[in-house]
Amino acid sequence: MSKFKSFLACDLGAESGRIIRGKFDGKKLCIAELHRFTHKPIFKSGTLYWDWDHILQEVISGIKIGIEKTNGNISGISCNSWAVDFGLLDSQKKLLSNPVSYRDHRTDRMPQRFNEIISEGELFLRTGTALESITTLCQLRSIVESNTKRLEREHKLLFISDLIHHALSETAVTDITMASASQMMNVKSLTWDREILKKLKVPSDILPDIVKPASIIGILKKEISTKQIPVIITASHDTTSAIAAIAKDNNTAFLSSGTWCMVGCEVNEPIGELDAAEELFGNFRLADSNWGFIRGIMGFWLIQQCRKIWEKKGLLFNYSDIVLLAEKSTPFKSLINPDNPKFLSPDDMIKAIQLFCVRTKQSSPTTPGEISRTIFESLAFDVKWTLEKIEYFTKKNFKHLHIVGGGCKNKLFCQLIADVTGLSVITGPAEATAIGNILLQLVATKELGTQDDIRSILENSIEMKTYESKKIQIIEEKYSFFKELRSYH
């Protein structure tokens, strides 16, 4: 008999997806990547969609690889993904169309039009999230305004990870971590806010039941495997899944780094100050019933988009190459505000960065190294600015910042954040989202019980690196300039 149990985590990001196998021996968790694939949105008839057939096919292929490698001895499967985006199922439980990307322009001016119906302040107090064009609520309202009949009562909305779970088990539910990121869940009742939905003419009947994280919701379909493999809903929102892989305390903030950089800390109750809404903070329910007070920064989307343009020019850089080129470039030559809407979905990210620098009377970066360094340094200053706001709203005083996700492999980025913030920066694991996913599967299957159990497994399983701050005189001057850039529109 095997001395360990195996679990599969499907980690879907906005650029790539992975199937990760976790092996648990009772004291230690070991992970291995079984399958990785890339995906990108497709533009059709004026709308930006996710290539759902490709994503689903790759996910199932990866799961079958895991089943083959273990002879079907899998104790659980779960998926996590980015939030806000969704698909609609018809009355026959068939997907009506590919899910639309949150970067589509259909919601560009939606927040301004909301004020005619409900104030931003009321939305924040009721749902805990600031009004941004990308939220699920804004996307649904755009469908209502288009006068199409895509929101019929018999339809069912499922978020991206929930669509995967439905394809694996035919179960149509969501969990509270994903629901809280949609701007449709009431932070007091922890249920869908039907009053807001009614005001915006969004039918609440289309929304799925909300279940607790770490719940077994079904069995894998027989056409995928004849073994009785549980399908588990963990923390479907990838940010909250990553946070589950962090041993948190009152002195430590966290940064989940990927396409978006999600900066925040754990709090007992949602922060309801309206000034926080103006700065686009959100309260996201965590798997352990606490809340994450979090602000999203544009993140490595900036690098991803530049890399695609370099590839078109025949410059094939991997991410290690990009970091090396940035290290060799002149420090603090130019800065951008990553949160400026101009960087959300430009046709050419490099030109958008260069134009921003020209218009703010800076030297324009030209080489891949200069452009990458500009991005990394700007993100570090944005993290500092966000942490200062978090300390103000929560009355906390951080000594450490824990970075997880792909960004913790970037030594330049991590050292920059330590230097800019003055905090001790702890990094690891890079695969925090998948590890958090598997840890919560262990809770669902009764292998783990308490937060102390999870902390013990993390200590036994993960190697972490610490970066200490170096005093660089120019940083305060550059930070003052960065704050000025935040007012440039």
Side-chain angles (χ1 to χ4, degrees):
M1 182 178 289
S2 175
K3 296 182 180 179
F4 57 82
K5 291 189 175 182
S6 292
F7 297 82
L8 297 182
C10 169
D11 178 16
L12 280 183
E15 187 184 43
S16 64
R18 291 157 298 171
I19 304 299
I20 306 289
R21 176 189 180 185
K23 293 168 62 176
F24 181 62
D25 64 4
K27 295 182 178 180
K28 185 176 180 180
L29 177 65
C30 297
I31 64 167
E33 183 179 292
L34 301 182
H35 183 60
R36 174 185 287 263
F37 62 92
T38 59
H39 67 90
K40 58 183 179 181
I42 51 179
F43 195 71
K44 183 178 179 182
S45 301
T47 301
L48 192 65
Y49 295 96
W50 296 109
D51 189 354
W52 190 249
D53 288 342
H54 170 69
I55 292 172
L56 184 57
Q57 179 181 345
E58 291 290 346
V59 167
I60 292 176
S61 294
I63 288 173
K64 287 182 176 178
I65 290 170
I67 291 170
E68 182 179 353
K69 284 185 175 291
T70 61
N71 195 31
N73 293 317
I74 302 291
S75 298
I77 295 173
S78 184
C79 179
N80 48 256
S81 72
W82 67 95
V84 306
D85 286 345
F86 58 88
L88 292 168
L89 304 181
D90 63 19
S91 59
Q92 305 302 313
K93 297 185 178 180
K94 303 295 183 183
L95 192 62
L96 286 168
S97 67
N98 283 344
V100 178
S101 169
Y102 61 84
R103 295 190 190 275
D104 184 74
H105 292 294
R106 65 180 176 166
T107 60
D108 282 355
R109 295 190 57 78
M110 191 57 64
Q112 293 89 326
R113 299 203 291 277
F114 264 47
N115 285 329
E116 301 169 6
I117 305 169
I118 185 170
S119 71
E120 293 186 36
E122 184 180 355
L123 266 176
F124 185 72
L125 291 174
R126 295 179 71 98
T127 69
T129 48
L131 181 57
E132 294 185 81
S133 62
I134 65 174
T135 66
T136 312
L137 187 60
C138 280
Q139 293 191 50
L140 288 171
R141 177 62 188 178
S142 74
I143 298 175
V144 170
E145 290 189 359
S146 69
N147 293 318
T148 62
K149 293 185 177 181
R150 292 188 58 207
L151 297 182
E152 302 293 341
R153 294 183 62 181
E154 65 269 19
H155 294 166
K156 183 67 69 178
L157 179 150
L158 290 179
F159 299 100
I160 297 299
S161 52
D162 303 323
L163 285 172
I164 295 293
H165 292 147
H166 179 262
L168 299 181
S169 69
E170 295 189 351
T171 306
V173 297
T174 194
D175 82 294
I176 199 167
T177 71
M178 188 64 85
S180 72
S182 70
Q183 203 170 47
M184 298 188 294
M185 190 188 85
N186 188 289
V187 293
K188 293 181 179 179
S189 68
L190 303 184
T191 59
W192 299 120
D193 196 318
R194 298 181 189 278
E195 184 177 333
I196 287 176
L197 294 168
K198 184 177 181 180
K199 284 184 178 181
L200 293 167
K201 298 183 179 179
V202 174
S204 58
D205 294 344
I206 68 172
L207 300 178
D209 291 339
I210 302 173
V211 302
K212 292 181 179 180
S215 298
I216 297 173
I217 58 172
I219 299 296
L220 190 64
K221 288 180 179 178
K222 291 182 179 180
E223 53 262 42
I224 302 175
S225 174
T226 56
K227 296 292 184 74
Q228 294 282 301
I229 299 176
V231 175
I232 300 171
I233 199 165
T234 51
S236 297
H237 183 193
D238 53 8
T239 297
T240 55
S241 185
I243 293 169
I246 299 174
K248 299 169 285 295
D249 60 53
N250 283 330
N251 297 319
T252 303
F254 54 74
L255 165 58
S256 179
S257 57
T259 300
W260 290 84
C261 284
M262 307 297 284
V263 187
C265 70
E266 187 166 348
V267 291
N268 294 327
E269 299 290 340
I271 302 295
E273 294 187 41
L274 296 184
D275 287 350
E278 293 181 7
E279 303 296 357
L280 301 182
F281 279 92
N283 296 279
F284 299 92
R285 185 75 168 189
L286 303 181
D288 61 2
S289 298
N290 281 337
W291 295 83
F293 183 60
I294 299 171
R295 182 173 179 272
I297 296 171
M298 200 70 75
F300 292 107
W301 159 258
L302 300 162
I303 287 288
Q304 292 164 7
Q305 296 307 296
C306 290
R307 187 166 172 245
K308 289 177 181 178
I309 295 169
W310 290 324
E311 286 179 354
K312 290 179 181 178
K313 296 178 179 180
L315 301 173
L316 304 179
F317 301 124
N318 60 36
Y319 288 109
S320 296
D321 296 332
I322 289 171
V323 173
L324 184 60
L325 291 169
E327 287 175 338
K328 294 178 179 179
S329 298
T330 304
F332 303 109
K333 183 178 178 181
S334 51
L335 295 171
I336 62 170
N337 170 21
D339 300 318
N340 191 293
K342 298 179 189 299
F343 302 122
L344 180 63
S345 189
D347 294 331
D348 186 320
M349 183 65 76
I350 292 174
K351 288 183 179 178
I353 290 171
Q354 292 171 334
L355 185 59
F356 184 95
C357 291
V358 169
R359 288 180 173 173
T360 52
K361 298 180 172 56
Q362 300 181 77
S363 174
S364 180
T366 56
T367 68
E370 289 174 344
I371 292 166
S372 300
R373 181 140 200 146
T374 293
I375 291 171
F376 295 146
E377 290 173 347
S378 300
L379 288 174
F381 281 122
D382 208 353
V383 169
K384 176 180 175 65
W385 184 87
T386 301
L387 287 171
E388 287 180 353
K389 292 293 182 181
I390 293 173
E391 288 185 328
Y392 171 77
F393 288 121
T394 64
K395 313 305 180 189
K396 293 177 181 283
N397 185 17
F398 300 124
K399 296 180 180 179
H400 311 281
L401 176 67
H402 195 143
I403 302 178
V404 296
C408 70
K409 297 179 182 178
N410 185 334
K411 294 180 180 180
L412 172 62
F413 176 66
C414 296
Q415 187 62 58
L416 277 169
I417 290 181
D419 296 341
V420 166
T421 64
L423 299 177
S424 178
V425 171
I426 305 162
T427 64
E431 298 291 354
T433 304
I435 290 173
N437 177 315
I438 294 167
L439 287 171
L440 291 170
Q441 289 193 62
L442 289 167
V443 172
T445 55
K446 312 300 182 185
E447 296 291 332
L448 298 178
T450 67
Q451 194 63 34
D452 287 340
D453 293 338
I454 292 176
R455 187 175 290 108
S456 176
I457 300 306
L458 288 171
E459 290 173 354
N460 293 339
S461 308
I462 296 169
E463 293 184 12
M464 290 179 279
K465 179 178 174 62
T466 301
Y467 295 81
E468 299 296 347
S469 176
K470 300 173 184 177
K471 298 297 182 182
I472 301 175
Q473 194 167 2
I474 199 174
I475 280 179
E476 285 306 314
E477 175 190 335
K478 291 296 182 180
Y479 182 50
S480 295
F481 178 64
F482 172 80
K483 288 190 285 187
E484 293 176 13
L485 292 178
R486 294 195 60 81
S487 64
Y488 170 71
H489 301 288

